[in-house]
């Protein structure tokens, strides 16, 4: 009779990891699919509609110079003091400024398959637990191994984090997921992952402004665990990452159309 593999074999580790990931995805998909399929509007309506409006603008009026947006821009320049009008005035800011192009491109790519923007957003939202689960599975496995990662995912599958937790498909959460994947790769490579750092930095910055914070955290992680003989290449990689951050800040401060969120301008 064939003997079963030992408990510490790679097959056992992968089996535990994939089982834990499957539990995470099934439970979290069920938790997110229920509110998304039983109501006409997605959760967190204000934020969700803002994301969809900016995505529509990216597709149909990239430079924000169409007559409707020009008229809306002029209306927003008027002083508003009536409290009853302030809320509507805030809602009119949905089309601008723009700050999550990668997130919107992801929605538009899905829309090309399903034909409807809101439906594409719902599909991505329902499928997002697979992305978040994979990201955290990689990070947990990098720290403690596959079996510990699988058990942890199975336990956390039944936890719904409050406020803007992982059950919300938002640009900030996607940027966090990308950062977690990059961190896992860097830990496995002991800091020697230049292309992962550069590519992940670009993706995080294009997904949400908070991606810049994750990039700085990633650089700090690389500097703390450099592999022997890779310091010179790491120095050039860090230089490139800071150049990307500087370029992003300069573009945000100089580009007028489309209106881009300029964090430095608010400091």
């Amino acid at each position: 009779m064939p003997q079963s593999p030992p408990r510490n074999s790679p097959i056992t580790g992968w089996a535990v990891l994939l089982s834990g990931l499957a539990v995470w995805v099934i439970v979290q998909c069920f938790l997110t699919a229920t509110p998304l399929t039983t109501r006409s509007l997605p959760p967190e309506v204000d934020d969700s509609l803002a994301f969809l409006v900016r995505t529509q603008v990216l597709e149909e009026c990239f430079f924000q110079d169409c007559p409707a947006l020009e008229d809306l821009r002029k209306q927003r320049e008027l002083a508003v003091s009536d409290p009853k009008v302030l809320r509507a005035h805030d809602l009119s800011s949905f089309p601008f400024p723009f700050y999550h192009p990668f997130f919107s491109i992801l929605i538009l790519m899905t829309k090309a398959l399903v034909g409807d923007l809101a439906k594409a957003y719902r599909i991505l939202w329902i499928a997002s637990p697979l992305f978040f689960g994979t990201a955290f599975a990689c990070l947990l496995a990098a720290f403690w191994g596959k079996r510990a990662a699988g058990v942890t995912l199975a336990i956390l599958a039944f936890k719904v984090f409050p406020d803007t937790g992982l059950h919300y498909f938002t640009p900030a959460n996607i940027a966090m997921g990308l950062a977690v994947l990059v961190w896992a790769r860097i830990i496995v490579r002991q800091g020697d992952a230049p292309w992962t750092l550069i590519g992940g930095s670009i993706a995080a910055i294009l997904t949400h402004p908070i991606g810049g914070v994750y990039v700085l955290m990633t650089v700090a992680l690389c500097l703390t665990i450099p592999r022997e003989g890779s310091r010179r290449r790491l120095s050039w990689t860090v230089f490139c990452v800071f150049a990307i951050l500087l370029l992003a800040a300069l573009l945000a401060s100089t580009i007028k159309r489309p209106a881009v969120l300029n964090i430095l301008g608010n400091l």
Side-chain angles (χ1 to χ4, degrees):
M1 294 180 63
Q3 295 182 351
S4 60
R7 293 182 60 186
N8 58 350
S9 69
I11 297 177
T12 303
W14 278 110
V16 175
L17 176 62
L18 294 177
S19 298
L21 179 59
V23 173
W24 164 280
V25 172
I26 292 172
V27 174
Q28 292 289 319
C29 282
F30 174 78
L31 293 175
T32 56
T34 301
L36 286 168
T37 56
T38 56
R39 50 179 284 170
S40 57
L41 292 174
E44 293 294 320
V45 176
D46 291 354
D47 289 339
S48 297
L49 292 183
F51 299 148
L52 292 177
V53 167
R54 296 190 193 102
T55 301
Q56 193 77 17
V57 170
L58 178 68
E59 181 183 28
E60 298 183 358
C61 185
F62 179 78
F63 292 103
Q64 300 177 342
D65 55 355
C66 51
L69 291 184
E70 291 288 359
D71 182 67
L72 181 59
R73 185 178 285 107
K74 294 178 180 179
Q75 295 181 44
R76 288 188 49 76
E77 294 175 354
L78 301 176
V80 177
S81 57
D82 188 347
K84 297 181 179 179
V85 184
L86 282 175
R87 180 56 178 167
H89 191 71
D90 292 338
L91 294 177
S92 68
S93 67
F94 279 0
F96 27 72
F98 197 80
Y99 60 89
H100 48 77
F102 184 82
F103 180 79
S104 291
I105 290 173
L106 186 62
I107 297 176
L108 290 175
M109 291 174 60
T110 308
K111 177 194 173 184
L113 300 176
V114 300
D116 181 76
L117 195 66
K119 184 177 180 180
Y121 186 53
R122 286 192 177 91
I123 291 175
L124 288 172
W125 196 323
I126 294 173
S128 63
L130 178 60
F131 169 70
F132 292 122
T134 302
F136 282 101
C138 292
L139 184 62
L140 291 170
F143 273 120
W144 295 294
K146 298 181 181 65
R147 285 182 294 173
V151 173
T152 303
L153 283 174
I155 295 174
L156 289 177
F158 300 90
K159 171 64 178 178
V160 177
F161 295 94
D163 299 327
T164 56
L166 296 181
H167 56 298
Y168 288 115
F169 182 69
T170 62
N173 279 350
I174 297 300
M176 179 197 62
L178 291 171
V180 169
L181 285 172
V182 172
W183 296 343
R185 175 65 175 172
I186 289 173
I187 293 171
V188 170
R189 295 282 300 172
Q190 298 179 12
D192 186 21
W195 293 112
T196 300
L197 178 57
I198 293 175
S201 299
I202 296 173
I205 293 171
L206 291 177
T207 303
H208 191 274
I210 201 173
V213 177
Y214 291 129
V215 169
L216 295 177
M217 295 170 62
T218 305
V219 170
L221 177 63
C222 283
L223 294 176
T224 57
I225 54 172
R227 176 183 291 182
E228 292 296 332
S230 63
R231 289 186 178 274
R232 182 178 179 85
R233 182 164 57 175
L234 177 60
S235 299
W236 280 107
T237 305
V238 171
F239 173 80
C240 292
V241 169
F242 278 106
I244 293 171
L245 288 172
L246 179 60
L247 178 62
L250 290 175
L251 290 176
S253 61
T254 56
I255 292 178
K256 302 303 179 182
R257 298 289 182 89
V260 180
L261 182 64
N262 180 16
I263 298 179
L264 297 179
N266 298 325
L267 297 178

